[in-house]
Amino acid sequence: MDVVYCSHTGFTREYAQLLGRAEKLRVFSLEEAGYQLEPGSEVFFLGPLMAGTITGLRAAQKRFCVLGACGVGMSPPAPQVLETLARRNGTGDLPLFYLQGGWAPDRVGWLRRHGVQWVTRSLRRQLEEKGEGRTPEEQIQLEFLIRGGSFVKPENLRPIRDWLAAGGGPTGTAP
Ligand SMILES: Cc1cc2nc3c(=O)[nH]c(=O)nc-3n(C[C@H](O)[C@H](O)[C@H](O)COP(=O)(O)O)c2cc1C
């Protein structure tokens, strides 16, 4: 199995490369995979979330045999995130994961930056109104929403690595 990813601002690429290094798997962008991998090859796919959609997953599924997929977003992982991802992306029983990536307002165009700022405005306002009463975590969250930042950490890959170790990856190795 190979790792295939799509990434606009680099956070998903970082996770894909960390996963490839940790599991000794080859890593390709979706574009590279298009000419370096045979159609139907078994892959694990990672893509950034945009309005709840895992970017590139559809295209990856059309060309490859996607055995598992991961959405990378800016929100902290919430309890229902996987259920919502499965519903929004119509993935059925496909093993799904979610990782918190980051937010890089200076690496996206005006329209996308303002789109995200619009969607997060009420949270930002709530945090701003707390003023001095913000907890350290809330302060970090507010700065993240305004200036951006990264939550990429190798240890976040644990659930995917455990799934791979349990044989959830390549065909024929399931326990
Ligand atoms: C237009 C747009 C829509 C987004 N929608 C979501 C979303 O629905 N959920 C989320 O958690 N993050 C969302 N994000 C944040 C990105 O998914 C996040 O920054 C991700 O880490 C980007 O990965 P990349 O650096 O690999 O492109 C959105 C970002 C943009 C620009």
Side-chain angles (χ1 to χ4, degrees), residues 7-12 48-52 72-75 98 101-102 112 116:
S7 182
H8 298 120
T9 56
F11 302 108
T12 312
L49 286 189
M50 279 182 72
V72 177
M74 66 189 284
S75 316
Y98 173 79
R112 287 182 173 183
V116 170

Side-chain angles (χ1 to χ4, degrees), residues 35-72:
Y35 50 85
Q36 295 197 28
L37 295 181
E38 290 294 323
S41 299
E42 294 183 341
V43 307
F44 182 82
F45 182 80
L46 299 97
L49 286 189
M50 279 182 72
T53 299
I54 303 176
T55 312
L57 178 58
R58 276 282 161 80
Q61 284 179 311
K62 276 193 189 146
R63 190 167 174 93
F64 305 113
C65 173
V66 176
L67 298 178
C70 177
V72 177

Side-chain angles (χ1 to χ4, degrees), residues 23-34:
E23 295 292 329
K24 301 192 171 36
L25 297 172
R26 296 187 303 170
V27 180
F28 301 92
S29 68
L30 187 55
E31 197 189 336
E32 290 163 349

Side-chain angles (χ1 to χ4, degrees), residues 73-78 98 100 102-105 116-117 119-131 133-151:
M74 66 189 284
S75 316
Y98 173 79
Q100 189 177 20
W103 169 227
V116 170
Q117 284 166 350
V119 171
T120 56
R121 74 195 180 289
S122 69
L123 175 59
R124 214 174 45 239
R125 218 167 280 159
Q126 263 176 37
L127 293 169
E128 277 164 350
E129 279 165 8
K130 286 193 174 183
R134 281 191 293 273
T135 63
E137 292 75 28
E138 287 170 338
Q139 183 60 31
I140 290 170
Q141 196 179 12
L142 180 60
E143 279 169 24
F144 172 73
L145 290 175
I146 296 171
R147 275 183 278 281
S150 173
F151 285 93

